[in-house]
Amino acid sequence: MKLKSLVLISLLALQATGLGTIVTAQTCKEDFTRDAYLAGSNYVAYPGPKGTLTPAPKGYEPVYLSHYGRHGSRYHIGSVYGNVYGLLQHADSADVLTPTGKTLMKQVRMLKDEAAGRDGELTELGAQQHRQIAERMYRNFPEIFAKKTHIDAKSTIVIRCILSMENALLQLKGMNPQLDISHDASHHDMYYMNQNADDMYKYKKAAVDSVGTAFTESHTHPERLMQQLFTSETYWKDSIDAKALMQNIFKLAMNVQSSEIRHSLNMTDYFTQEELYDLWQTKNVFWYLTYGPSSYSRGLQPYSQRNLLSNIISEADSCLALDNCGATLRYGHDTMVMPLTCLLELDDTDRDILDLNTLAEQEWCDYRIFPMACNLQFVFYRSKGAKAGTADKDSRGKDILVKILRNENEARLPLATDSWPYYKWSDVKAYYTKKLEDFKKVSY
């Protein structure tokens, strides 16, 4: 079966179950007028959950939790601090910086100094995010964590992920010293913890080359900002890649929210509301093309996380075979969480939107999917007091139920249920197992 057929079947299934439309309280543009930092795309600091969780169905209790989460807030990766500062410093030596440009140079210097020697490392806020997520996990599901039980935690081999895991585990251990915790970060597990999917790279590159770059070019308008920063139009037109500089200043401004300097510095005022929206759109389109469900990249990118989803299913069945199931915690990256969210089709995130100019209008918003510390939690339920039974039913013959929390908010799956947000694990497992098996037949 070709992938287009699979996509069509999925869309028809969504329509049939009435889950094909997401209703949100605010549009993306309205979000930015409320909080300019939300334009930061994958640099958005974790906002925390909204509202309260639905109580367990009558007679049921949580027994197992399976999780994959992104590391917390971090410093930038690469040379963006030094590049922007060096460019502004050179312009200052040529005496072509305005007072606004000089202020920006001083602020970038502050950011550069704060991040010195910490390329891509976890910030203090990033550590705090994972302690808070772990605390809520414990308080939301004490039946799982408030007893002597086994927690199996794994991280990718990247230090910010390892430290995110350790902060979460320290929080859990502090709340219940009896927890039996194992934790590891090894190349052994990278095939599912951080799958590269090199076989799909050419398709996302082709998508960026064919439509992504043109979209970015048409939505990046640096003229006003350049006039604010430089006294010489000739200088910035002849000596600077103005669009790249604008994008990099935006990148720096958005990540201020993840560092301690956020208490004394805000750089969002360098941009108008329209510029914030346009610059965010370029990132939103990029992520949609490279890790989302877009047919411009042949709808393949969500399947980059097929090994991770297979691991989640097999680990769940293995743990549910135990009377005391415990929890499986995994710590990795945004480039896993976004495609996995789309592969699971959570909250209609698997839509194929051809007109990229309407992507935001159709409420496909990247920062709602993968802020810093974003996470997916699969929470499993048995009837109260029941022991392990079969793969799908407990010892009393009752169906095992599951719900998925997306950034700690209850998510909708592409399946029918009469007790949302709870679904039968047998239905969920069958749906995704078939989806993974069908993908093996796809030619690409």
Side-chain angles (χ1 to χ4, degrees):
M1 182 184 294
K2 298 292 184 183
L3 192 62
K4 275 192 172 181
S5 300
L6 289 175
V7 172
L8 179 59
I9 290 171
S10 297
L11 288 173
L12 291 173
L14 280 172
Q15 292 171 1
T17 57
L19 302 180
T21 303
I22 289 290
V23 178
T24 55
Q26 288 184 303
T27 66
C28 302
K29 184 177 284 190
E30 289 171 339
D31 278 347
F32 305 151
T33 60
R34 175 175 55 86
D35 182 358
Y37 276 138
L38 291 176
S41 189
N42 63 321
Y43 294 113
V44 170
Y46 191 66
K50 301 175 182 178
T52 58
L53 298 180
T54 305
K58 185 177 181 180
Y60 275 82
E61 63 183 352
V63 294
Y64 172 62
L65 188 146
S66 181
H67 152 280
Y68 189 98
R70 181 193 185 189
H71 57 77
S73 286
R74 60 164 171 79
Y75 294 101
H76 278 300
I77 300 170
S79 56
V80 62
Y81 299 106
N83 286 347
V84 175
Y85 180 71
L87 188 152
L88 293 172
Q89 192 177 44
H90 187 271
D92 189 41
S93 67
D95 198 27
V96 293
L97 281 186
T98 65
T100 299
K102 290 177 183 292
T103 298
L104 175 62
M105 182 177 68
K106 292 176 183 177
Q107 292 173 336
V108 174
R109 173 66 182 270
M110 292 167 61
L111 295 175
K112 183 174 75 73
D113 289 349
E114 184 193 37
R118 295 188 174 278
D119 187 81
E121 291 183 3
L122 197 70
T123 65
E124 185 177 326
L125 179 62
Q128 179 183 328
Q129 289 161 351
H130 277 286
R131 291 194 297 269
Q132 292 173 342
I133 292 169
E135 180 179 5
R136 287 190 293 269
M137 195 182 286
Y138 184 100
R139 297 195 187 283
N140 287 335
F141 311 110
E143 298 89 344
I144 297 174
F145 294 98
K147 57 185 177 181
K148 187 175 181 180
T149 191
H150 180 65
I151 309 299
D152 179 42
K154 288 186 170 60
S155 166
T156 69
I157 57 175
V158 179
I159 188 64
R160 60 182 174 272
C161 302
I162 296 172
L163 289 175
S164 294
M165 173 178 70
E166 296 304 327
N167 273 277
L169 295 180
L170 282 170
Q171 180 67 40
L172 291 172
K173 192 72 170 178
M175 298 177 79
N176 180 7
Q178 288 190 314
L179 287 173
D180 172 31
I181 296 176
S182 61
H183 46 123
D184 194 16
S186 171
H187 283 283
H188 177 271
D189 300 305
M190 293 292 275
Y191 76 96
Y192 71 88
M193 287 291 294
N194 189 12
Q195 186 177 357
N196 289 322
D198 291 337
D199 54 339
M200 297 178 181
Y201 176 80
K202 63 182 178 181
Y203 298 112
K204 63 182 178 183
K205 182 180 184 302
V208 171
D209 291 345
S210 62
V211 292
T213 300
F215 186 93
T216 296
E217 286 290 314
S218 65
H219 286 77
T220 308
H221 307 289
E223 294 78 16
R224 185 206 59 81
L225 179 59
M226 295 301 108
Q227 289 164 5
Q228 277 201 326
L229 301 179
F230 302 99
T231 59
S232 169
E233 183 174 330
T234 300
Y235 181 88
W236 67 259
K237 283 188 173 180
D238 293 348
S239 303
I240 292 174
D241 183 340
K243 289 187 175 182
L245 178 59
M246 185 183 198
Q247 289 275 358
N248 281 333
I249 295 171
F250 175 71
K251 188 176 179 180
L252 290 175
M254 289 297 105
N255 203 41
V256 167
Q257 64 187 293
S258 283
S259 70
E260 292 309 294
I261 210 169
R262 72 187 186 278
H263 300 297
S264 59
L265 177 64
N266 187 324
M267 296 169 60
T268 61
D269 287 344
Y270 285 107
F271 306 95
T272 67
Q273 283 294 316
E274 197 59 37
E275 287 167 350
L276 282 174
Y277 184 61
D278 273 344
L279 289 166
W280 167 74
Q281 283 194 89
T282 68
K283 305 302 181 187
N284 194 46
V285 164
F286 170 82
W287 289 111
Y288 182 70
L289 293 175
T290 54
Y291 291 97
S294 174
S295 60
Y296 287 112
S297 46
R298 299 190 61 177
L300 292 169
Q301 300 314 312
Y303 289 93
S304 67
Q305 299 314 302
R306 57 196 183 275
N307 287 346
L308 177 54
L309 179 54
S310 293
N311 177 266
I312 289 169
I313 293 171
S314 62
E315 284 290 312
D317 274 351
S318 176
C319 290
L320 289 166
L322 305 172
D323 291 336
N324 188 2
C325 304
T328 305
L329 309 180
R330 308 170 185 84
Y331 294 86
H333 305 270
D334 52 356
T335 49
M336 278 73 249
V337 176
M338 171 170 279
L340 178 60
T341 300
C342 298
L343 181 60
L344 293 167
E345 306 169 47
L346 300 182
D347 296 327
D348 212 13
T349 52
D350 66 317
R351 288 170 293 155
D352 183 19
I353 300 170
L354 294 176
D355 185 354
L356 299 178
N357 287 298
T358 69
L359 191 62
E361 296 170 11
Q362 297 193 50
E363 299 297 314
W364 206 96
C365 304
D366 56 7
Y367 58 89
R368 296 177 184 171
I369 300 174
F370 68 161
M372 297 289 185
C374 58
N375 58 95
L376 297 175
Q377 299 179 27
F378 295 67
V379 189
F380 293 80
Y381 294 75
R382 285 179 186 152
S383 59
K384 286 184 177 180
K387 303 294 185 180
T390 66
D392 304 319
K393 294 183 183 292
D394 61 31
S395 60
R396 294 174 176 166
K398 298 286 188 178
D399 288 308
I400 293 173
L401 304 180
V402 64
K403 72 175 175 182
I404 299 181
L405 304 183
R406 183 163 77 91
N407 298 327
E408 300 180 83
N409 301 302
E410 291 167 339
R412 291 194 178 274
L413 282 62
L415 296 164
T417 179
D418 56 5
S419 57
W420 184 86
Y422 300 94
Y423 298 80
K424 292 180 181 179
W425 172 231
S426 57
D427 292 343
V428 172
K429 181 171 59 175
Y431 181 84
Y432 292 125
T433 299
K434 183 178 187 303
K435 185 171 184 176
L436 293 174
E437 286 298 319
D438 286 344
F439 179 72
K440 293 178 181 178
K441 307 169 188 175
V442 173
S443 301
Y444 66 94

